[in-house]
Amino acid sequence: MKRILFLLLIGLMAALVACGGDSAPESLTAIRLPMGYIADPQYAPFYVAVERGYFADEGLALEFDYSFETDGIALVGANELPLAVASGEQVILARAQGLPVVYAMQWWQRYPIAVASLAAAGIESPADLVGRNVGVPGFFGASYVGLVGLLSANGLTLDDIDANEIGFNQVESLLTGQSEAAVVYINNEPVQLRDRGEDINVIAVADSIDLVANGILTNEQTIAENPELVQGFINAFMRGLRDTLADPDAAYEISKKYVEGLDDSRRGVLDASLPLWEAEQLGRTDPATWQQTQDILLEMSLLDAPLPDLEETYTNQFVDSAE
């Protein structure tokens, strides 16, 4: 009797497999994606694209890796990972070190760095920064590059201000009077300060100079050997980005599933991020912006010489072909 039941069970399983046939989903290609920051509402386009199956539609399964930006760039440069989120200036610096990375999509159309101050300090324009104590998270990364770019575009240098390293404590530094102004991400610390009822002034770097902000990074080998993977990724992410811009309320609700402890108090982060992503054609990057970014890196002596192949640092081919 047991043998008969066993054979019946085997037959039933075989029939189910046969019925599943062509409709059974193909196995997905797993991608670990370094994000460069902690889980946050600013990643809503990714969360939307995963939740609504856009990556699965492209045969991809995404794993979010909230590790440091430089770690992700190194892994993509070594072809240990195919994709990462990275800022444009870091891509140029990586190419200068011989890493064959390529920027495949410009997600953030406006550089997100700004200088914030309490309104009482009277710092309303870049010229007002002269002689002021300006807190900088560190003399590295996008915050530092953005500050120098802002000063340079307004005929100033670091010698014109009193720049001090404060770590990522901009809000406390301003509220305690340690800093008269602080370099911030325009969609983060200003939101926190306003939520506390503070009257503040914000000077956006993007109002003075156009620098390449965060986007999608890949490498030369992946583009040469597996362009379909890059195209599929861009297709899915673009759908998530369009959905987020069209319906931020739904995107924020979806984000709550991916950001532990997220409540409505962080909604301002997403609202402040949306204008930074908008463009006539989402995702496209401008060669002139790359040139300006390289010029600032040269001025800062972070780059010894211009890249001989700056135009190979980025591509619009996947954005232009995106569905």
Side-chain angles (χ1 to χ4, degrees), residues 67-268:
S67 57
F68 291 115
E69 179 182 48
T70 49
D71 293 343
I73 293 172
L75 290 167
V76 174
N79 200 36
E80 293 183 27
L81 292 176
L83 297 149
V85 176
S87 189
E89 82 282 343
Q90 297 302 315
V91 179
I92 293 176
L93 294 174
R95 293 280 299 194
Q97 296 169 11
L99 294 179
V101 292
V102 181
Y103 188 92
M105 174 188 169
Q106 186 163 334
W107 169 19
W108 297 64
Q109 295 294 322
R110 284 175 59 85
Y111 208 69
I113 303 303
V115 175
S117 60
L118 300 184
I123 301 174
E124 300 179 0
S125 71
D128 296 329
L129 292 170
V130 174
R132 300 301 191 102
N133 182 321
V134 180
V136 187
F139 295 101
F140 58 86
S143 296
Y144 182 37
V145 171
L147 173 61
V148 174
L150 173 68
L151 295 172
S152 178
N154 289 279
L156 303 172
T157 71
L158 285 172
D159 292 335
D160 293 308
I161 66 173
D162 179 17
N164 293 280
E165 187 168 357
I166 60 172
F168 292 94
N169 300 299
Q170 299 97 317
V171 171
E172 292 75 13
S173 186
L174 289 172
L175 293 178
T176 60
Q178 177 187 356
S179 301
E180 294 177 276
V183 182
V184 299
Y185 274 80
I186 202 167
N187 62 331
N188 191 353
E189 289 83 8
V191 175
Q192 295 181 45
L193 288 163
R194 291 187 179 111
D195 284 346
R196 294 190 185 196
E198 298 292 340
D199 187 12
I200 63 173
N201 291 324
V202 178
I203 303 171
V205 169
D207 287 341
S208 292
I209 187 170
D210 197 10
L211 301 174
V212 185
N214 280 7
I216 306 304
L217 184 71
T218 186
N219 58 58
E220 294 177 358
Q221 186 171 341
T222 301
I223 289 176
E225 297 179 359
N226 198 356
E228 297 84 4
L229 183 146
V230 181
Q231 188 66 67
F233 185 96
I234 299 292
N235 289 347
F237 179 63
M238 289 279 280
R239 291 177 70 186
L241 178 57
R242 287 193 292 265
D243 283 6
T244 301
L245 290 168
D247 191 351
D249 291 338
Y252 194 78
E253 287 303 310
I254 287 173
S255 297
K256 291 179 180 179
K257 179 177 178 179
Y258 295 85
V259 183
E260 185 177 354
L262 182 64
D263 57 29
D264 291 339
S265 67
R266 295 279 289 161
R267 174 58 193 266

